[in-house]
Amino acid sequence: MARLNLLEETRFEKLPVKVYKDELSASKKVAKRIAKIIKKRQEKGKKAVLGLATGATPVKVYEELIRLHKEEGLSFKNVITFNLDEYYPMQPDENQSYVKFMDENLFNHVDIPRENINIPDGTLAKEDIADFCLKYEEKITEVGGLDLQVLGIGRTGHIGFNEPGSAPNSGTRLVTLDDLTRRDASRDFGGKENVPTKAITMGIGTIFKAREIILMAWSKKKAPIIKKAVEGEISGSVPATYLQLNDHVEFILDEDAASELTRFDTPWLVKDCSWDKDQIKKAVIWLSNEVGKPILKLTDEDYNSHGMAQLATEKGPAYNINIDVFNQLQHTITGWPGGKPNADDTQRPERAEPAKKRSIIFSPHPDDDVISMGGTFIRLVDQGHDVHVAYQTSGNTAVWDTDVLRYVEFAIDFNRSIGEDTSKLEEIYDNFNKFITEKRPNDIDLREIMDVKGFIRKTEAIAGARYAGLVDDNIHFMALPFYETGKKVKSPVTEEDVKITMELLQKVKPHQIFAAGDFADPHGTHIVCFNIIIEAMKRLRETEEWTKDCWLWMYRGAWQEFDIHDIEMAVPLSPQEVARKREAIFKHQSQKDTPVFPGDDEREFWVRAEERNSETAMSYHNLGLANYEAIEAFVRWKF
């Protein structure tokens, strides 16, 4: 019976999928499977032949394999590896090289013979590539074929670098990279213009020959393409769908990557549900959008014809369900994000007391505060709350080199205008100019250049916070140490990061914390900063009484918005408030027009923010609520 239920739940899924709580637990399971293959082949006196992937996805798998080697004696002496791909052209000692990636993340830490490592050669002359690819295929065959191929998946649906349009029987070859793939790699190369346009990759046909195939994916960022790969029709426009044709493939996902699969996203379409309050709210909002009707106009027939007959039967009639969900949504809307004084707060998202609250807005980068919740920021100040803003990192990696030279030129001219000696500044300028001219993509800046970039972002943040109404004493620059590496890969969080955060919290003793819950940030800084806050609060809650009355609200920024059914506080903005928010964002001039790291969205940050806030307001309106100009949304974190 259990197996029948599982088959019913997964009936939209066209290949086997296993879902784990998080990336770490899933990675450990994959590493265990790899170790089992290695040991089995060792017992038979044979080689274990592994197809390996690069990128962020397999890193924790490799970490666990290293641990198994060092702590449990797993030997790699009988292992032969073939990597999926390599950029072309690419020197093996370049920071972006997959040779360097594999050495740093696995090979340098285990006892694999160097002659057993095979990675496509990015240094070849173009006329030699076809012959190399043929021999790469032949070598895989000569050693007995791949026992296991490990895959990630790109947002184009590529596996390896088999981009849309790749044939299901394709072999190892030179390919042209999709623009989205290059945009996703832009941070590794210091800008999309530095990302190679081509790569050498194993073909889909090569991958299919493996005796086992595991495709791994983590995070909500991968959820849309995972849904297409698992539930969509087989199509050359999504190469990963070809894996549906293979009998030896399995997808290993964390909960976030699996979140858009039907059995998790709309489970009422595949099984009887246990209808709690949150599930009902989500389902009714989904139904309203599906049929294009406001919530209060949904009928029993709508419920019955869209897989929700069970809900209507158990909790109906439909109109009663509609009223309840409508009221829940209406109660999220408030013009008083700090709580409305002298008002009944039983149906409001924030407490009425104390009437004047101490609030800290934590901003991972120096502009997340105004981009993400600039309207609410201004509203809190206007309504008389004691608002503080804390910029967690300097954001110094996201400033153009030309801005550094421009600001030093300004300093030289200013000093000259007041009769000061400029020889030292001119020497610094010449050193900066020489370094920048010779700098390669993703080289670490001189410390002095990093400082200037940090000063630029600091002055912009001060201007934005002042525009929102803050006094300087309430503007805090934390410069958390984990970030200050000067490179895209940041240091691990240390005790010092948590200590700095605890000290600020103890100083302010806030009633409200606003923190970035935008974990789709492609650079990872947001979730690191958020986890530091949570750890600091967790420790403080053991000894500090004020923490028991401190609420934490998560906001989201330039990368995504909360789903409507998750929103717990919706702050509407008037057209005038939208304009004020825009002006606050404009204070961040170094991020205007084309920022250094825009992600895969080519819109300017202020445009993204306005359109996202407008879309949230329209989503509320389409559900039958008032038609606001814009809405900023928040979800409360429960300690």
Side-chain angles (χ1 to χ4, degrees), residues 27-43:
S27 296
K28 285 184 174 181
K29 287 288 185 182
V30 174
K32 189 175 180 180
R33 282 180 62 175
I34 293 172
K36 187 176 179 181
I37 290 170
I38 293 172
K39 289 175 182 176
K40 274 191 172 182
R41 302 295 282 179
Q42 282 172 348
E43 290 168 3

Side-chain angles (χ1 to χ4, degrees), residues 338-343 345 350-357 511 549:
K340 187 173 183 179
N342 306 312
D345 59 10
E350 249 296 355
R351 304 148 289 173
E353 300 298 331
K356 303 300 180 186
K357 293 183 174 65
H511 301 97
D549 194 39

